């Protein structure tokens, strides 16, 4: 059997489930944030697909995701109070003052706030602030991980498209 170098997953495989969830979330949070590294502002905003999806918009949307799932769902405060768009689709819309630096910073800050919001909760604690109704933190972790993984894939494809130009 071939020998493979240890991977990120190998480092957390023996850790408690909560640590595994958080490690995988952080890996995908970081990967999505880094998708903007080395790009010009124009490249980050460039529309390469028919939807509103741009690299800068993906990271801005990921900030929205963090706030919906770890602020709105935990605190039960409405999106209007949190300054969030009403829909996920609107969270991809870029403002004139959105820059790589400002969007990456907002995303990192939202991720840190998410970690703090969840730090005192257990995986089976129920969050009451989501539109779907009460959900356990474990489900939220899995949902956010799935969403981040999808968007990391989108970012990879968009980066490939930019490299081909």
């Amino acid at each position: 059997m071939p020998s493979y170098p240890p991977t990120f997953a190998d480092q957390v495989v023996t850790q408690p489930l909560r640590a595994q969830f958080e490690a995988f979330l952080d890996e995908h949070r970081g990967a999505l944030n880094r998708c903007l590294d080395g790009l010009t502002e124009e490249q980050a905003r460039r529309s390469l697909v028919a939807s509103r999806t741009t690299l800068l918009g993906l990271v801005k949307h990921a900030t929205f995701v963090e706030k919906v799932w770890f602020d709105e769902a935990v605190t039960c405060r409405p999106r209007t109070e949190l300054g969030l768009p009403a829909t996920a689709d609107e969270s991809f819309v870029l403002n004139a003052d959105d820059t790589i630096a400002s969007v990456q910073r907002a995303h990192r800050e939202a991720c840190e706030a998410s970690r703090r919001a969840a730090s005192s909760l257990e995986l089976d604690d129920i969050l009451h602030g989501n539109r779907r109704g009460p959900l356990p933190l474990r489900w939220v972790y899995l949902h956010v991980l799935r969403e981040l993984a999808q968007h990391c894939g989108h970012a990879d494809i968009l980066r490939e498209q930019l490299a081909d130009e």
Side-chain angles (χ1 to χ4, degrees):
M1 174 176 267
S3 174
Y4 297 100
T7 66
F8 166 78
D10 295 329
Q11 296 172 23
V12 297
V13 73
T14 61
Q15 298 295 311
L17 186 57
R18 171 80 179 250
Q20 292 178 33
F21 279 146
E22 291 173 351
F24 275 84
L25 280 169
D26 282 342
E27 179 182 41
H28 285 79
R29 286 166 170 156
L32 193 55
N33 192 286
R34 289 187 304 274
C35 81
L36 299 171
D37 290 353
L39 297 178
T40 66
E41 295 292 335
E42 185 276 327
Q43 288 173 316
R45 289 175 165 273
R46 191 175 304 163
S47 179
L48 300 166
V49 293
S51 70
R52 291 182 171 169
T53 306
T54 64
L55 285 162
L56 193 62
L58 277 171
V59 179
K60 187 172 182 178
H61 169 71
T63 303
F64 167 85
V65 167
E66 294 287 339
K67 291 180 179 184
V68 164
W69 288 106
F70 294 104
D71 195 343
E72 180 183 36
V74 172
T75 67
C76 301
R77 295 186 304 164
R79 291 179 187 186
T80 52
E81 186 179 321
L82 297 170
L84 297 175
T87 67
D89 191 48
E90 293 172 87
S91 71
F92 286 89
V93 175
L94 299 173
N95 301 320
D97 60 343
D98 287 329
T99 65
I100 292 170
S102 70
V103 170
Q104 281 182 315
R105 181 176 50 255
H107 180 248
R108 284 190 304 270
E109 289 170 358
C111 292
E112 184 53 40
S114 294
R115 287 183 205 96
R116 283 192 309 273
S119 67
S120 64
L121 301 173
E122 298 297 326
L123 289 177
D124 290 327
D125 283 353
I126 302 298
L127 308 182
H128 296 278
N130 186 265
R131 296 173 181 193
R132 287 180 173 89
L135 297 166
L137 178 63
R138 150 184 46 73
W139 189 95
V140 169
Y141 274 7
L142 288 169
H143 176 79
V144 172
L145 180 58
R146 177 183 63 186
E147 183 151 345
L148 290 172
Q150 289 172 335
H151 292 319
C152 283
H154 298 148
D156 287 345
I157 291 168
L158 294 176
R159 289 290 303 229
E160 287 176 19
Q161 288 181 310
L162 285 174
D164 290 342
E165 292 185 343

